[in-house]
Amino acid sequence: MSKTVHIISPDPHGDRILDRLARTLADGTGWSLSNQPDTTADINYFIIYIDYAQRFSDWRRTTIAAYFSHYEGDTPYKKFWWESAAPLVDIKTTMARQYAAMLPGNVRIITPPVESDRFIIDDHRTSPHPLIGVSGFVDRSGRKGEKLVARLAAEMDGKAEIVASGDGWPARIINRSLDGLNHFYNSIDAYLCASTVEGVPMPPLEALSCGVPIIIPRGVGMLDDLPDMRGIYRYEAGNYDAMQAATNKALAERKRIKRDALRAVVTETYTPAAWCNSHVAAFDATSDAPAQPITPRIESDRHGKRGVYYVAYGGPARECAKGAIASFKANFYDIPVALVSDTPLDAGEDIFIQHPDEDIGGRSAKVKIYDLAPAGWQY
């Protein structure tokens, strides 16, 4: 590939899945990686499309590529970011066919990678009763299916227990770290994905890499691409009765599972090499595409360095914030606005930071500005 590519991640050293995937891509291709675009590269690739929408939507010095993970049409501010970024990005990548069909222009499907050297078969099941695992970051949208999980936990009482990796689940938490994930998967009898909206998702693939049966929804992320075989149990997304039936079947067959066969599903297809090669092929095929024009405006030299931090709780304060944000964005369109509150305002804020209303005047949100505001902002 003759074109040079630079990868942009808000936190190049972070432990979140996309942070790790950015490093895997950089290591496997030799492409550079930082939290800012590079004017000397031919293509600047944003591993998180929302990062582009929030910080760099008027930055047009090179061809722009971005990874579009998943679409949350019921969350107004995320819907806004998707619809703002999609027409401006020259090369759009995604892992799910459903999102490829939604996106305009040059769209390429890429292959998700699993760290199969991290996620191995190493049986640690010691519980006297079956364990069903759930994992991931639970946000306020409900898209992870935590209400379905709560109902299943209540109805499975005495038959099996649901355990979790990560906070926010209505279940006993037995892991909170990346380093503990392999042990977590190897401690459970089946992994349950209850999500209704996802980009991949990675946890079912990681569980397969550990030889663990998975219970997955249809029509979510790229999960429909997985083969039909014993150890992969499907149900209609959001359908509790179907999910419960699939879970019962997984538990009934758990002692007849061939763990090596489940692991082979991942190690033969979803590899770091495939992740890197699919990107190289995508950019080779589209790297000569001209940059999309944007409305001529003066481009900011403050990208990713500063923003405005609004704190607003209660009706009067939120009404004031609406007017203030509208006025600010009309004059300083390229500087991001962060809103700290208990619920989004949907008044044009670029970044919503959920924080409880703990005291008078939102004092805790104000004194925690260094912890809550985006890490890239300078103070």
Side-chain angles (χ1 to χ4, degrees):
M1 182 177 181
S2 59
K3 299 284 185 177
T4 58
V5 179
H6 177 70
I7 308 164
I8 302 96
S9 169
D11 187 3
H13 304 291
D15 282 338
R16 298 288 292 272
I17 287 176
L18 288 176
D19 302 326
R20 288 154 41 204
L21 293 187
R23 292 196 296 272
T24 298
L25 184 59
D27 291 343
T29 59
W31 297 341
S32 54
L33 168 66
S34 75
N35 65 357
Q36 300 283 321
D38 182 354
T39 57
T40 67
D42 296 305
I43 300 172
N44 274 279
Y45 181 41
F46 290 81
I47 201 69
I48 301 176
Y49 79 89
I50 289 178
D51 183 41
Y52 170 74
Q54 288 178 346
R55 299 197 292 154
F56 296 99
S57 58
D58 69 333
W59 197 92
R60 305 301 309 174
R61 302 186 194 181
T62 69
T63 295
I64 299 295
Y67 168 60
F68 286 74
S69 55
H70 61 278
Y71 178 72
E72 294 186 54
D74 293 332
T75 304
Y77 65 98
K78 291 187 178 181
K79 180 175 182 284
F80 170 78
W81 286 333
W82 178 288
E83 294 176 352
S84 296
L88 295 176
V89 172
D90 303 306
I91 307 169
K92 289 163 276 283
T93 65
T94 185
M95 298 188 207
R97 300 179 192 283
Q98 60 184 299
Y99 302 131
M102 293 172 57
L103 290 164
N106 291 319
V107 184
R108 301 289 161 166
I109 295 176
I110 51 178
T111 304
V114 177
E115 299 168 276
S116 57
D117 55 343
R118 177 191 293 273
F119 299 108
I120 61 174
I121 298 174
D122 187 20
D123 198 350
H124 290 289
R125 288 175 294 177
T126 59
S127 173
H129 52 266
L131 297 181
I132 302 165
V134 293
S135 72
F137 176 74
V138 178
D139 60 27
R140 64 178 186 84
S141 70
R143 68 181 180 88
K144 293 292 184 180
E146 56 269 27
K147 291 183 179 179
L148 296 175
V149 171
R151 181 178 172 185
L152 184 65
E155 297 188 7
M156 296 292 286
D157 186 35
K159 301 177 184 177
E161 181 187 7
I162 296 180
V163 294
S165 174
D167 292 319
W169 293 100
R172 180 166 64 96
I173 298 169
I174 63 173
N175 179 62
R176 285 187 171 90
S177 71
L178 174 62
D179 290 338
L181 264 180
N182 186 70
H183 189 282
F184 168 77
Y185 290 127
N186 279 282
S187 299
I188 60 179
D189 295 273
Y191 179 84
L192 169 64
C193 175
S195 300
T196 55
V197 176
E198 286 286 1
V200 182
M202 293 302 292
L205 299 185
E206 294 167 352
L208 285 177
S209 187
C210 295
V212 176
I214 61 173
I215 306 152
I216 55 175
R218 292 188 178 91
V220 172
M222 50 65 64
L223 295 177
D224 288 352
D225 293 342
L226 296 175
D228 290 321
M229 60 184 293
R230 176 172 286 172
I232 298 179
Y233 303 93
R234 304 181 193 273
Y235 67 94
E236 295 303 319
N239 185 318
Y240 174 78
D241 292 337
M243 186 184 80
Q244 184 185 44
T247 301
N248 288 334
K249 185 176 181 180
L251 293 179
E253 295 184 354
R254 69 186 188 279
K255 294 183 179 179
R256 289 180 279 165
I257 296 299
K258 296 181 179 180
R259 298 187 71 173
D260 288 337
L262 291 180
R263 177 172 167 80
V265 171
V266 168
T267 58
E268 293 176 3
T269 304
Y270 302 104
T271 65
W275 164 250
C276 295
N277 291 340
S278 62
H279 274 91
V280 171
F283 294 162
D284 270 346
T286 59
S287 59
D288 291 329
Q292 297 285 339
I294 64 170
T295 302
R297 285 178 170 178
I298 298 174
E299 182 183 312
S300 172
D301 62 357
R302 299 179 291 270
H303 285 299
K305 298 178 182 178
R306 65 182 72 177
V308 180
Y309 184 89
Y310 288 88
V311 177
Y313 295 97
R318 288 168 65 83
E319 283 301 313
C320 287
K322 282 184 180 179
I325 291 172
S327 176
F328 184 86
K329 295 298 286 185
N331 293 283
F332 302 97
Y333 68 94
D334 60 339
I335 300 178
V337 166
L339 170 71
V340 184
S341 190
D342 46 3
T343 58
L345 198 55
D346 298 326
E349 65 267 28
D350 301 293
I351 303 163
F352 171 63
I353 302 167
Q354 189 171 25
H355 187 73
D357 186 4
E358 297 176 320
D359 46 29
I360 296 174
R363 183 175 182 274
S364 69
K366 296 171 184 175
V367 299
K368 291 180 180 178
I369 183 172
Y370 296 110
D371 298 321
L372 297 177
W377 290 6
Q378 296 178 356
Y379 304 100

